[in-house]
Amino acid sequence: MADSQPLLSLDGDAVAAEALLRDVFEIVVDEVIRKGTSASEKVCEWREPEELKQLLDLELRNEGESQEQILERCRAVIRYSVKTCHPRFFNQLFSGLDPHALAGRIVTESLNTSQYTYEIAPVFVLMEDEVLKKLRALVGWSSGDGVFCPGGSISNMYAVNLARYQRYPDCKQRGLWALPPLALFTSEECHYSVKKGAAFLGLGTDSVRMVKADERGKMIPEDLERQVGLAEAEGAVPFLVSATSGTTVLGAFDPLEAVADVCQRHGLWLHVDAAWGGSVLLSQTHRHLLNGIQRADSVAWNPHKLLSAGLQCSALLLRDTSNLLKRCHGSQASYLFQQDKFYDVALDTGDKVVQCGRRVDCLKLWLMWKAQGGQGLERRVDQAFALARYLVEELKKRETFELVMEPEFVNVCFWFVPPSLREKKGSPDYGERLAKVAPILKERMVRKGSMMIGYQPHGTRGNFFRMVVANPALTRADMDFLLNELERLGQDL
């Protein structure tokens, strides 16, 4: 017969459980927060995969380990993980560590609830609604709907699904049989999730028409108009345009007003993927980059990127007020969404999404906003722009660097030109040789642990670095270090 007393962790020893967690939190504060954000420490401790497997001892066994061993496991995990909060981590579109957002994440994980009903998440249902309302207001909407999604890719996929359902509601029951050939349009600079979403939703990647971008990476509205006409002539039904505010590599902002004009003429759903650039809406100085976003039907916005709210924090915002999210995704599961509950069942938001269990992603943003205020977050955005401009001006002073283009956002793209190539720009193999430099420097910086920067080819351009200025703790000294370290790493090339 089972013991009637509930079993706590650590064999019911609540004192030992508390002691373990205090020890773990102490390790986290020391190894992640203090050392992980210190410029004097390494960004990463690189190990080859086979060696790392041995160091971590990943095998799961039948017998448990002592608390001392468990604490050592925590230390090892932290030691060999990349410190994305480090001031020299420039590799992704997210970085840095906001203490208030982290506090929100700790509380969220500790409470371990799901965001689907008011019954089990009363605080967070109301909080999510308020946060989404604030984000919609910044877009320019006084009403609407929305939900936090597990990443911007899912937000983009939801937008496609909603646009399709709005036009062909029968597809929810009848599936693809209810649909004619459909066409959606996006820039050749778009995030890859647009094509992934089309494939996942059964539309197929061929349904995605790639609109040309100009030399700065912005969608060309005239080509969008041409592509819409071409799709119609081929017998397809255009239904959605996905514009981008802050492209992944170049940081370009599509001309939303002109794109919205095309959508309006043809009755198309306008989605704006502002996962990267949406936070610019907080800045009175720079929000003009998103002029026209208020004309969109849906917007994806990831505060875990430029605002450093912490992974993951991805909002899908809708102008719709007809409960489209719930009509499109709902299935009215009677064991969750009973209609005879003792409170207003409209507060049960779980049927708006495809997921059942849904983690709480609003608290970290809400708590950070409470602490910083809108003004503090605006300063954070403006500071990122200012530091990006400082980096560009410093780049121009050195013969070792060549800008890909003048940035309009905080993506600074450039080549490092090593000593062996500085006088050979006109030579036939210059581009081929220059493209080999970034991968070499990337390996050197990672093995050394001094910093991390992403690189990529782009169109006809060979590999170049994409520096992302997003961490709110960055200073001019970090920009100077970046340039100096690249020169040190590449002085023999």
Side-chain angles (χ1 to χ4, degrees):
M1 214 172 151
D3 192 324
S4 61
Q5 294 297 316
L7 284 176
L8 300 177
S9 59
L10 297 178
D11 299 322
D13 189 342
V15 174
E18 181 179 332
L20 169 69
L21 292 174
R22 288 185 183 278
D23 288 342
V24 171
F25 285 141
E26 186 176 331
I27 291 170
V28 169
V29 170
D30 187 48
E31 300 293 331
V32 178
I33 299 173
R34 187 177 65 80
K35 293 182 181 178
T37 60
S38 172
S40 63
E41 300 284 340
K42 288 185 177 183
V43 177
C44 57
E45 189 74 46
W46 174 260
R47 292 290 187 274
E48 296 297 335
E50 288 307 315
E51 181 189 2
L52 186 56
K53 286 180 185 178
Q54 296 301 316
L55 288 167
L56 295 174
D57 185 19
L58 294 172
E59 182 186 351
L60 297 173
R61 303 179 180 88
N62 287 331
E63 294 186 1
E65 298 180 339
S66 69
Q67 295 311 308
E68 291 74 18
Q69 288 174 300
I70 294 302
L71 294 176
E72 282 305 311
R73 299 290 188 203
C74 292
R75 290 189 183 95
V77 167
I78 293 169
R79 178 180 180 184
Y80 297 112
S81 291
V82 175
K83 310 305 186 295
T84 64
C85 52
H86 196 283
R88 308 285 161 75
F89 177 81
F90 312 118
N91 209 68
Q92 314 301 143
L93 300 181
F94 66 89
S95 62
L97 188 150
D98 183 283
H100 300 100
L102 179 59
R105 290 150 70 189
I106 292 170
V107 172
T108 295
E109 293 300 318
S110 301
L111 289 171
N112 190 40
T113 193
S114 180
Q115 182 88 51
Y116 42 47
T117 64
Y118 184 80
E119 183 177 339
I120 67 162
V123 172
F124 300 127
V125 165
L126 298 178
M127 183 182 291
E128 182 178 64
D129 182 64
E130 187 64 30
V131 172
L132 291 170
K133 183 167 74 173
K134 184 67 174 182
L135 297 181
R136 286 195 304 268
L138 286 165
V139 169
W141 301 332
S142 58
S143 59
D145 203 352
V147 69
F148 278 95
C149 296
S153 293
I154 301 300
S155 297
N156 290 339
M157 186 183 75
Y158 272 21
V160 175
N161 200 41
L162 290 164
R164 179 175 68 175
Y165 174 82
Q166 185 191 55
R167 183 165 291 212
Y168 297 103
D170 285 352
C171 72
K172 180 177 179 180
Q173 180 176 348
R174 296 178 56 211
L176 301 180
W177 297 105
L179 301 172
L182 297 179
L184 60 141
F185 307 84
T186 191
S187 158
E188 58 192 10
E189 295 286 331
C190 76
H191 191 260
Y192 65 83
S193 60
V194 178
K195 277 197 169 184
K196 277 197 171 188
F200 187 84
L201 293 169
L203 296 171
T205 56
D206 285 351
S207 69
V208 182
R209 308 296 179 102
M210 307 306 292
V211 181
K212 291 179 181 177
D214 63 20
E215 68 282 354
R216 295 196 54 81
K218 299 171 180 287
M219 182 188 289
I220 300 174
E222 294 78 11
D223 191 59
L224 172 62
E225 184 78 55
R226 184 186 70 83
Q227 294 266 17
V228 171
L230 184 62
E232 290 174 335
E234 293 173 355
V237 179
F239 76 106
L240 173 139
V241 174
S242 180
T244 311
S245 290
T247 59
T248 305
V249 177
L250 300 179
F253 289 76
D254 287 342
L256 298 182
E257 288 284 11
V259 172
D261 288 343
V262 176
C263 292
Q264 188 173 329
R265 280 195 294 273
H266 295 275
L268 307 179
W269 180 290
L270 174 57
H271 174 65
V272 177
D273 176 4
W276 177 216
S279 297
V280 178
L281 289 168
L282 284 153
S283 169
Q284 294 302 314
T285 304
H286 301 287
R287 63 172 289 134
H288 64 88
L289 292 168
L290 295 101
N291 281 352
I293 194 170
Q294 74 282 355
R295 298 176 64 186
D297 296 286
S298 57
V299 172
W301 178 354
N302 288 5
H304 70 239
K305 291 180 175 172
L306 190 55
L307 294 185
S308 297
L311 288 165
Q312 60 196 14
C313 191
S314 303
L316 173 67
L317 309 173
L318 298 179
R319 189 151 51 100
D320 172 79
T321 57
S322 70
N323 218 12
L324 181 65
L325 268 170
K326 201 167 195 175
R327 289 187 288 117
C328 179
H329 296 142
S331 62
Q332 298 87 45
S334 59
Y335 51 83
L336 265 183
F337 307 115
Q338 302 92 337
Q339 297 303 294
D340 54 357
K341 291 183 178 181
F342 62 92
Y343 59 83
D344 182 1
V345 295
L347 292 168
D348 290 351
T349 57
D351 236 4
K352 290 182 177 183
V353 296
V354 174
Q355 300 163 262
C356 179
R358 183 162 68 94
R359 62 172 290 130
V360 173
D361 286 328
C362 59
L363 176 57
K364 52 200 162 206
L365 178 57
W366 181 84
L367 204 60
M368 180 177 71
W369 206 307
K370 281 288 191 181
Q372 298 281 346
Q375 291 179 339
L377 296 178
E378 179 178 12
R379 284 193 297 272
R380 182 170 290 183
V381 173
D382 288 344
Q383 171 72 358
F385 273 89
L387 278 177
R389 176 44 48 189
Y390 172 80
L391 177 61
V392 169
E393 296 307 318
E394 292 302 305
L395 273 168
K396 291 177 180 178
K397 296 175 183 177
R398 308 192 190 201
E399 62 176 358
T400 44
F401 300 98
E402 181 183 340
L403 269 179
V404 173
M405 66 175 60
E406 285 282 345
E408 67 173 346
F409 195 19
V410 296
N411 306 41
V412 181
C413 298
F414 62 91
W415 288 281
F416 173 81
V417 184
S420 64
L421 290 179
R422 278 176 208 156
E423 305 300 326
K424 299 182 179 179
K425 190 168 184 179
S427 62
D429 62 345
Y430 176 81
E432 181 182 348
R433 293 173 63 186
L434 186 62
K436 295 177 180 178
V437 173
I440 294 172
L441 294 183
K442 180 63 177 281
E443 179 180 356
R444 290 181 178 183
M445 69 178 73
V446 170
R447 290 188 181 279
K448 184 179 177 183
S450 59
M451 62 182 182
M452 291 182 72
I453 318 172
Y455 74 86
Q456 64 286 301
H458 184 268
T460 60
R461 301 180 179 103
N463 287 322
F464 57 84
F465 286 113
R466 179 204 62 176
M467 166 65 183
V468 179
V469 184
N471 187 336
L474 292 177
T475 66
R476 289 187 172 190
D478 296 307
M479 304 298 100
D480 295 336
F481 174 87
L482 162 74
L483 301 181
N484 294 334
E485 180 67 2
L486 283 171
E487 290 180 337
R488 280 191 292 270
L489 293 170
Q491 61 186 346
D492 63 332
L493 296 180

